[in-house]
Amino acid sequence: MEIPEFLISNFPDDINFILLDESTDYIAIHGIIENINDGEVILFLGHGSSNCLYGSPHPSNEKSEFLSKDKLSILNNKNFFCLSCNSYEFIKRNKKFTTIINAVGFGDLPTDWVEIVNAREFDNNAYPGITADIVAEFSSILVELHKLTFRDYFHRNLLAS
């Protein structure tokens, strides 16, 4: 079970889930996020770079920019957990554009074999020794780790402490 399904099935009264797809009106979603109560937690599970966070790919299979530094103010006075590649760098680089209370971001999270193959097209030495099996195991561990983390967060009301 993936993270969104886990959260929805185990904590239906504690979360509001928004799925971004190619038809999503990002401006409307920005408004929804901006109007979430101060102090609440925003979870972003998706793709990222040091410059922005991405929504779902367009039909052309290109990622679309969902959140950039000029839109970070929608996270003012909220807590932000961002499970996406290079989100730590994105948050760190742009923290002056927002008043996020607390934020968690990550570095490179190669969870798809295609990402490894693409990186190796540009650099033959990228991810030495990494195989498709290792990527699949890493992805599985990452999902399970975050499901347990979110379970503890909700069960123990960690933000209130």
Side-chain angles (χ1 to χ4, degrees):
M1 179 184 300
E2 296 297 319
I3 295 170
E5 292 83 6
F6 173 80
L7 293 172
I8 292 167
S9 66
N10 288 282
F11 308 102
D13 298 330
D14 296 316
I15 66 165
N16 292 308
F17 181 74
I18 301 169
L19 175 65
L20 303 178
D21 63 26
E22 64 274 356
S23 66
T24 302
D25 178 354
Y26 289 171
I27 294 171
I29 302 303
H30 292 163
I32 291 169
I33 292 170
E34 193 167 32
N35 288 311
I36 291 173
N37 292 336
D38 289 353
E40 293 290 333
V41 177
I42 307 295
L43 303 175
F44 180 85
L45 311 173
H47 300 283
S49 72
S50 58
N51 296 317
C52 68
L53 301 178
Y54 295 104
S56 295
H58 285 285
S60 66
N61 210 25
E62 292 182 27
K63 294 176 185 164
S64 58
E65 187 176 284
F66 172 67
L67 192 60
S68 60
K69 71 178 180 182
D70 58 329
K71 298 291 184 192
L72 268 176
S73 63
I74 68 171
L75 300 172
N76 285 349
N77 306 313
K78 294 169 184 63
N79 295 285
F80 187 49
F81 185 97
C82 188
L83 183 56
S84 66
C85 287
N86 303 307
S87 52
Y88 168 77
E89 184 67 29
F90 172 67
I91 294 165
K92 180 181 172 189
R93 180 183 289 178
N94 298 297
K95 65 183 175 184
K96 62 187 169 208
F97 298 104
T98 183
T99 57
I100 293 173
I101 299 169
N102 295 299
V104 174
F106 294 84
D108 195 19
L109 297 169
T111 57
D112 187 337
W113 179 243
V114 172
E115 295 173 41
I116 304 298
V117 171
N118 289 341
R120 288 179 177 166
E121 285 182 17
F122 295 102
D123 178 1
N124 290 334
N125 298 317
Y127 303 105
I130 302 299
T131 65
D133 289 339
I134 291 171
V135 171
E137 183 176 358
F138 172 71
S139 181
S140 177
I141 290 168
L142 193 63
V143 167
E144 290 307 310
L145 171 72
H146 284 90
K147 285 169 31 179
L148 293 173
T149 300
F150 296 140
R151 182 201 65 201
D152 285 352
Y153 167 79
F154 286 113
H155 282 242
R156 295 171 52 200
N157 196 17
L158 295 177
L159 193 61
S161 51

